[in-house]
Amino acid sequence: MSRQKIEVPSYKGRRYQRWIRVLLVLVAAGVLCFAALFGVVIYGSYDHIQGEPQVMVILGCQVKNDGPSQLLRDRLDEALSYLADHPDLTVVVSGGQGPDEPSTEARAMADYLMEEGVEEDQILLEDQSHNTVQNFRYTAQLLEEQGYDLENTQVLVVSNGFHLTRARMLAERTGFEEVSTLAAPSSHLPSRLKMYIREPLALAKSFLFDH
């Protein structure tokens, strides 16, 4: 009488299935983390204005050969709309010059604002920064040189909505105690979609490394 052969799953097969489960768990965790960060970005993408800001800080964005990019014009136009009702604010335009830009972002922003009637002596240029954390570090130095006490100065940060959660976090880390935000639209649809995908990752990176 012959014995029946018993099939035993191979160790290799079990190990493969275990790695598949681990991979699925990691993917699910990554999706949940991204969704949470995306929610934080969306929450911060609206106007949050408190008190009476004395200084407006407009964050730079790409400058092209024919002038500010569409995202940057959105920021500048939103700033101009607010300045029409609050003409006494000091305005800091913040942004250096990238390798593919014809001028510093600060210079292009200042020119744009002056063409729309903002007085030159109302504008301070911060033209050394190349990312958001540097925007605030160098802006803080510039304002302190002008006699401002950061702990007692209310600032209004202007950028596209997707950028404002990270901007607020970095402004507060830099020493600004009272931070309001003014959300500009992102009228260039491809850029808006790209940035809302990119920004949750940039927020995580800044939270961990931009101190």
CSV table of all heavy atoms in Angstrom, one decimal, residues 98-138:
chain,number,residue,atom,x,y,z
A,98,GLY,N,17.7,82.8,-9.3
A,98,GLY,CA,18.0,81.4,-9.7
A,98,GLY,C,18.8,81.5,-11.0
A,98,GLY,O,18.9,82.5,-11.7
A,99,PRO,N,19.5,80.3,-11.3
A,99,PRO,CA,20.3,80.3,-12.5
A,99,PRO,C,19.6,80.5,-13.8
A,99,PRO,O,20.2,80.9,-14.8
A,99,PRO,CB,20.9,78.8,-12.5
A,99,PRO,CG,19.9,78.1,-11.6
A,99,PRO,CD,19.4,79.0,-10.6
A,100,ASP,N,18.3,80.4,-13.8
A,100,ASP,CA,17.5,80.6,-15.1
A,100,ASP,C,16.6,81.8,-15.0
A,100,ASP,O,15.7,82.0,-15.8
A,100,ASP,CB,16.6,79.3,-15.4
A,100,ASP,CG,15.7,79.0,-14.2
A,100,ASP,OD1,15.9,79.6,-13.1
A,100,ASP,OD2,14.7,78.2,-14.4
A,101,GLU,N,16.9,82.7,-14.1
A,101,GLU,CA,16.1,83.9,-13.9
A,101,GLU,C,16.9,85.2,-14.3
A,101,GLU,O,18.1,85.3,-14.0
A,101,GLU,CB,15.7,84.1,-12.5
A,101,GLU,CG,14.7,83.0,-12.0
A,101,GLU,CD,14.3,83.1,-10.6
A,101,GLU,OE1,15.2,83.2,-9.7
A,101,GLU,OE2,13.1,83.1,-10.3
A,102,PRO,N,16.3,86.1,-15.0
A,102,PRO,CA,17.0,87.3,-15.5
A,102,PRO,C,17.3,88.3,-14.4
A,102,PRO,O,18.2,89.2,-14.6
A,102,PRO,CB,16.0,87.9,-16.5
A,102,PRO,CG,14.7,87.5,-16.1
A,102,PRO,CD,14.9,86.1,-15.5
A,103,SER,N,16.7,88.2,-13.3
A,103,SER,CA,16.9,89.2,-12.2
A,103,SER,C,16.5,88.5,-10.9
A,103,SER,O,16.0,87.4,-10.9
A,103,SER,CB,16.1,90.5,-12.3
A,103,SER,OG,14.7,90.2,-12.1
A,104,THR,N,16.8,89.1,-9.8
A,104,THR,CA,16.3,88.6,-8.5
A,104,THR,C,14.8,88.6,-8.5
A,104,THR,O,14.2,89.5,-9.1
A,104,THR,CB,16.9,89.3,-7.3
A,104,THR,OG1,16.4,90.6,-7.3
A,104,THR,CG2,18.4,89.3,-7.3
A,105,GLU,N,14.2,87.7,-7.8
A,105,GLU,CA,12.8,87.7,-7.6
A,105,GLU,C,12.3,89.0,-6.9
A,105,GLU,O,11.3,89.6,-7.2
A,105,GLU,CB,12.3,86.5,-6.9
A,105,GLU,CG,12.5,85.2,-7.7
A,105,GLU,CD,12.4,83.9,-7.0
A,105,GLU,OE1,12.0,84.0,-5.8
A,105,GLU,OE2,12.7,82.8,-7.5
A,106,ALA,N,13.1,89.4,-5.9
A,106,ALA,CA,12.8,90.6,-5.1
A,106,ALA,C,12.7,91.8,-6.1
A,106,ALA,O,11.8,92.7,-6.0
A,106,ALA,CB,13.8,90.8,-4.0
A,107,ARG,N,13.7,92.0,-6.9
A,107,ARG,CA,13.7,93.1,-7.8
A,107,ARG,C,12.5,93.1,-8.8
A,107,ARG,O,11.9,94.1,-9.0
A,107,ARG,CB,15.0,93.1,-8.7
A,107,ARG,CG,15.2,94.2,-9.6
A,107,ARG,CD,15.5,95.5,-8.9
A,107,ARG,NE,14.3,96.4,-8.7
A,107,ARG,CZ,14.3,97.4,-7.8
A,107,ARG,NH1,15.4,97.7,-7.1
A,107,ARG,NH2,13.2,98.1,-7.7
A,108,ALA,N,12.2,91.9,-9.3
A,108,ALA,CA,11.1,91.8,-10.2
A,108,ALA,C,9.8,92.2,-9.5
A,108,ALA,O,8.9,92.8,-10.1
A,108,ALA,CB,11.0,90.4,-10.9
A,109,MET,N,9.6,91.7,-8.3
A,109,MET,CA,8.4,92.0,-7.5
A,109,MET,C,8.3,93.5,-7.2
A,109,MET,O,7.3,94.1,-7.3
A,109,MET,CB,8.4,91.2,-6.2
A,109,MET,CG,8.1,89.7,-6.4
A,109,MET,SD,7.9,88.8,-4.9
A,109,MET,CE,9.5,88.6,-4.3
A,110,ALA,N,9.4,94.1,-6.8
A,110,ALA,CA,9.4,95.5,-6.5
A,110,ALA,C,9.0,96.3,-7.7
A,110,ALA,O,8.2,97.3,-7.6
A,110,ALA,CB,10.8,95.9,-5.9
A,111,ASP,N,9.6,96.0,-8.8
A,111,ASP,CA,9.2,96.7,-10.1
A,111,ASP,C,7.8,96.6,-10.4
A,111,ASP,O,7.1,97.6,-10.8
A,111,ASP,CB,10.1,96.2,-11.2
A,111,ASP,CG,11.6,96.6,-11.1
A,111,ASP,OD1,11.9,97.5,-10.3
A,111,ASP,OD2,12.4,96.0,-11.8
A,112,TYR,N,7.2,95.4,-10.2
A,112,TYR,CA,5.8,95.2,-10.5
A,112,TYR,C,4.9,96.0,-9.6
A,112,TYR,O,4.0,96.6,-10.0
A,112,TYR,CB,5.5,93.7,-10.3
A,112,TYR,CG,4.2,93.2,-10.8
A,112,TYR,CD1,4.0,92.6,-12.0
A,112,TYR,CD2,3.1,93.3,-9.9
A,112,TYR,CE1,2.7,92.2,-12.4
A,112,TYR,CE2,1.8,92.9,-10.3
A,112,TYR,CZ,1.6,92.3,-11.6
A,112,TYR,OH,0.4,91.9,-11.9
A,113,LEU,N,5.3,96.0,-8.3
A,113,LEU,CA,4.5,96.8,-7.3
A,113,LEU,C,4.5,98.3,-7.6
A,113,LEU,O,3.5,99.0,-7.5
A,113,LEU,CB,5.0,96.5,-5.9
A,113,LEU,CG,4.7,95.0,-5.4
A,113,LEU,CD1,5.4,94.9,-4.0
A,113,LEU,CD2,3.3,94.7,-5.3
A,114,MET,N,5.7,98.8,-7.9
A,114,MET,CA,5.9,100.2,-8.2
A,114,MET,C,5.1,100.6,-9.5
A,114,MET,O,4.6,101.7,-9.5
A,114,MET,CB,7.4,100.6,-8.3
A,114,MET,CG,8.1,100.5,-6.9
A,114,MET,SD,9.8,101.2,-6.9
A,114,MET,CE,10.6,99.9,-7.9
A,115,GLU,N,5.1,99.7,-10.5
A,115,GLU,CA,4.3,100.0,-11.7
A,115,GLU,C,2.8,100.2,-11.3
A,115,GLU,O,2.1,100.9,-12.0
A,115,GLU,CB,4.5,98.9,-12.7
A,115,GLU,CG,5.9,98.9,-13.4
A,115,GLU,CD,6.1,97.8,-14.3
A,115,GLU,OE1,5.1,97.0,-14.4
A,115,GLU,OE2,7.2,97.6,-14.8
A,116,GLU,N,2.4,99.5,-10.2
A,116,GLU,CA,1.0,99.6,-9.8
A,116,GLU,C,0.8,100.7,-8.8
A,116,GLU,O,-0.3,100.7,-8.2
A,116,GLU,CB,0.5,98.2,-9.3
A,116,GLU,CG,0.6,97.1,-10.4
A,116,GLU,CD,-0.4,97.4,-11.5
A,116,GLU,OE1,-1.4,98.0,-11.3
A,116,GLU,OE2,0.0,97.0,-12.7
A,117,GLY,N,1.8,101.5,-8.5
A,117,GLY,CA,1.6,102.6,-7.6
A,117,GLY,C,2.1,102.6,-6.2
A,117,GLY,O,2.0,103.5,-5.4
A,118,VAL,N,2.7,101.4,-5.9
A,118,VAL,CA,3.3,101.3,-4.5
A,118,VAL,C,4.6,102.2,-4.5
A,118,VAL,O,5.4,102.1,-5.4
A,118,VAL,CB,3.6,99.9,-4.1
A,118,VAL,CG1,4.3,99.8,-2.8
A,118,VAL,CG2,2.4,99.0,-4.2
A,119,GLU,N,4.8,103.0,-3.4
A,119,GLU,CA,5.9,103.8,-3.3
A,119,GLU,C,7.2,103.0,-3.1
A,119,GLU,O,7.2,102.1,-2.3
A,119,GLU,CB,5.7,104.8,-2.2
A,119,GLU,CG,4.6,105.8,-2.4
A,119,GLU,CD,4.8,106.7,-3.6
A,119,GLU,OE1,6.0,107.0,-3.9
A,119,GLU,OE2,3.8,107.2,-4.1
A,120,GLU,N,8.3,103.5,-3.7
A,120,GLU,CA,9.6,102.8,-3.6
A,120,GLU,C,10.0,102.7,-2.2
A,120,GLU,O,10.6,101.7,-1.7
A,120,GLU,CB,10.6,103.4,-4.5
A,120,GLU,CG,12.0,102.7,-4.5
A,120,GLU,CD,12.9,103.2,-5.5
A,120,GLU,OE1,12.6,104.3,-6.1
A,120,GLU,OE2,14.0,102.6,-5.7
A,121,ASP,N,9.9,103.8,-1.4
A,121,ASP,CA,10.4,103.8,0.0
A,121,ASP,C,9.5,103.0,0.9
A,121,ASP,O,9.8,102.8,2.1
A,121,ASP,CB,10.5,105.2,0.5
A,121,ASP,CG,9.2,106.0,0.5
A,121,ASP,OD1,8.2,105.4,0.2
A,121,ASP,OD2,9.2,107.2,0.8
A,122,GLN,N,8.4,102.4,0.4
A,122,GLN,CA,7.6,101.5,1.2
A,122,GLN,C,8.1,100.1,1.1
A,122,GLN,O,7.6,99.2,1.9
A,122,GLN,CB,6.1,101.6,0.7
A,122,GLN,CG,5.1,100.9,1.5
A,122,GLN,CD,3.7,101.1,1.0
A,122,GLN,OE1,3.5,101.9,0.0
A,122,GLN,NE2,2.7,100.4,1.5
A,123,ILE,N,9.0,99.8,0.1
A,123,ILE,CA,9.4,98.4,-0.2
A,123,ILE,C,10.8,98.1,0.3
A,123,ILE,O,11.7,98.9,0.0
A,123,ILE,CB,9.3,98.2,-1.7
A,123,ILE,CG1,7.9,98.5,-2.2
A,123,ILE,CG2,9.7,96.8,-2.0
A,123,ILE,CD1,7.7,98.5,-3.7
A,124,LEU,N,11.0,97.0,1.0
A,124,LEU,CA,12.3,96.5,1.4
A,124,LEU,C,12.6,95.3,0.5
A,124,LEU,O,11.7,94.4,0.4
A,124,LEU,CB,12.3,96.1,2.8
A,124,LEU,CG,12.0,97.3,3.8
A,124,LEU,CD1,12.0,96.7,5.3
A,124,LEU,CD2,13.1,98.4,3.7
A,125,LEU,N,13.8,95.2,0.0
A,125,LEU,CA,14.2,94.1,-0.9
A,125,LEU,C,15.1,93.1,-0.1
A,125,LEU,O,16.1,93.5,0.4
A,125,LEU,CB,14.9,94.5,-2.1
A,125,LEU,CG,14.1,95.0,-3.3
A,125,LEU,CD1,13.5,96.3,-3.0
A,125,LEU,CD2,15.0,95.1,-4.6
A,126,GLU,N,14.6,91.9,0.0
A,126,GLU,CA,15.4,90.8,0.5
A,126,GLU,C,15.8,89.9,-0.7
A,126,GLU,O,14.9,89.2,-1.2
A,126,GLU,CB,14.6,90.0,1.5
A,126,GLU,CG,15.4,88.8,2.2
A,126,GLU,CD,15.7,87.7,1.2
A,126,GLU,OE1,14.8,87.0,0.9
A,126,GLU,OE2,16.9,87.5,0.9
A,127,ASP,N,17.0,90.0,-1.2
A,127,ASP,CA,17.3,89.4,-2.5
A,127,ASP,C,18.4,88.3,-2.4
A,127,ASP,O,19.1,88.1,-3.4
A,127,ASP,CB,17.8,90.5,-3.5
A,127,ASP,CG,18.9,91.3,-3.0
A,127,ASP,OD1,19.5,91.0,-1.9
A,127,ASP,OD2,19.3,92.3,-3.7
A,128,GLN,N,18.5,87.6,-1.2
A,128,GLN,CA,19.6,86.6,-1.1
A,128,GLN,C,19.0,85.2,-1.0
A,128,GLN,O,19.8,84.2,-1.1
A,128,GLN,CB,20.4,86.9,0.2
A,128,GLN,CG,21.1,88.3,0.2
A,128,GLN,CD,22.0,88.4,-1.0
A,128,GLN,OE1,22.9,87.5,-1.2
A,128,GLN,NE2,21.9,89.5,-1.7
A,129,SER,N,17.8,85.1,-0.7
A,129,SER,CA,17.2,83.7,-0.4
A,129,SER,C,17.0,82.9,-1.6
A,129,SER,O,16.7,83.4,-2.7
A,129,SER,CB,15.9,83.9,0.4
A,129,SER,OG,15.0,84.7,-0.3
A,130,HIS,N,17.0,81.6,-1.4
A,130,HIS,CA,16.7,80.6,-2.5
A,130,HIS,C,15.7,79.5,-2.1
A,130,HIS,O,15.5,78.6,-2.9
A,130,HIS,CB,18.1,80.0,-2.9
A,130,HIS,CG,19.0,80.9,-3.5
A,130,HIS,ND1,18.9,81.4,-4.8
A,130,HIS,CD2,20.1,81.6,-3.0
A,130,HIS,CE1,19.9,82.3,-5.1
A,130,HIS,NE2,20.6,82.4,-4.0
A,131,ASN,N,15.2,79.6,-0.9
A,131,ASN,CA,14.1,78.7,-0.5
A,131,ASN,C,13.3,79.4,0.6
A,131,ASN,O,13.6,80.5,1.0
A,131,ASN,CB,14.6,77.3,-0.1
A,131,ASN,CG,15.7,77.4,1.0
A,131,ASN,OD1,15.5,78.2,2.0
A,131,ASN,ND2,16.8,76.7,0.9
A,132,THR,N,12.3,78.7,1.0
A,132,THR,CA,11.3,79.3,2.0
A,132,THR,C,11.9,79.6,3.3
A,132,THR,O,11.7,80.7,3.9
A,132,THR,CB,10.1,78.5,2.1
A,132,THR,OG1,9.5,78.2,0.8
A,132,THR,CG2,9.0,79.2,3.0
A,133,VAL,N,12.7,78.7,3.8
A,133,VAL,CA,13.3,79.0,5.1
A,133,VAL,C,14.3,80.1,5.1
A,133,VAL,O,14.4,81.0,6.0
A,133,VAL,CB,14.0,77.7,5.7
A,133,VAL,CG1,15.2,77.3,4.9
A,133,VAL,CG2,14.3,77.9,7.2
A,134,GLN,N,15.0,80.3,4.0
A,134,GLN,CA,15.9,81.4,3.8
A,134,GLN,C,15.1,82.7,3.6
A,134,GLN,O,15.5,83.8,4.1
A,134,GLN,CB,16.8,81.2,2.6
A,134,GLN,CG,17.9,80.1,2.8
A,134,GLN,CD,18.8,80.0,1.6
A,134,GLN,OE1,18.7,80.7,0.6
A,134,GLN,NE2,19.7,79.0,1.7
A,135,ASN,N,13.9,82.6,3.0
A,135,ASN,CA,13.1,83.8,2.9
A,135,ASN,C,12.9,84.4,4.2
A,135,ASN,O,13.0,85.7,4.4
A,135,ASN,CB,11.7,83.4,2.3
A,135,ASN,CG,11.7,83.1,0.8
A,135,ASN,OD1,10.9,82.3,0.4
A,135,ASN,ND2,12.4,83.9,0.0
A,136,PHE,N,12.6,83.6,5.2
A,136,PHE,CA,12.3,84.2,6.5
A,136,PHE,C,13.5,84.5,7.3
A,136,PHE,O,13.5,85.5,8.1
A,136,PHE,CB,11.4,83.2,7.3
A,136,PHE,CG,10.0,83.1,6.7
A,136,PHE,CD1,9.5,82.0,6.1
A,136,PHE,CD2,9.1,84.2,6.8
A,136,PHE,CE1,8.2,82.0,5.5
A,136,PHE,CE2,7.9,84.2,6.3
A,136,PHE,CZ,7.4,83.1,5.6
A,137,ARG,N,14.6,83.7,7.2
A,137,ARG,CA,15.8,84.0,7.9
A,137,ARG,C,16.3,85.4,7.5
A,137,ARG,O,16.7,86.3,8.3
A,137,ARG,CB,16.9,83.0,7.6
A,137,ARG,CG,16.6,81.7,8.4
A,137,ARG,CD,17.7,80.7,7.9
A,137,ARG,NE,17.4,79.3,8.6
A,137,ARG,CZ,18.0,78.2,8.2
A,137,ARG,NH1,18.8,78.2,7.2
A,137,ARG,NH2,17.7,77.1,8.8
A,138,TYR,N,16.4,85.6,6.2
A,138,TYR,CA,17.0,86.9,5.7
A,138,TYR,C,16.0,88.0,5.9
A,138,TYR,O,16.4,89.2,6.1
A,138,TYR,CB,17.4,86.7,4.2
A,138,TYR,CG,18.5,85.7,4.0
A,138,TYR,CD1,18.5,84.9,2.9
A,138,TYR,CD2,19.5,85.6,4.9
A,138,TYR,CE1,19.5,84.0,2.7
A,138,TYR,CE2,20.6,84.7,4.7
A,138,TYR,CZ,20.6,83.9,3.6
A,138,TYR,OH,21.6,83.0,3.4
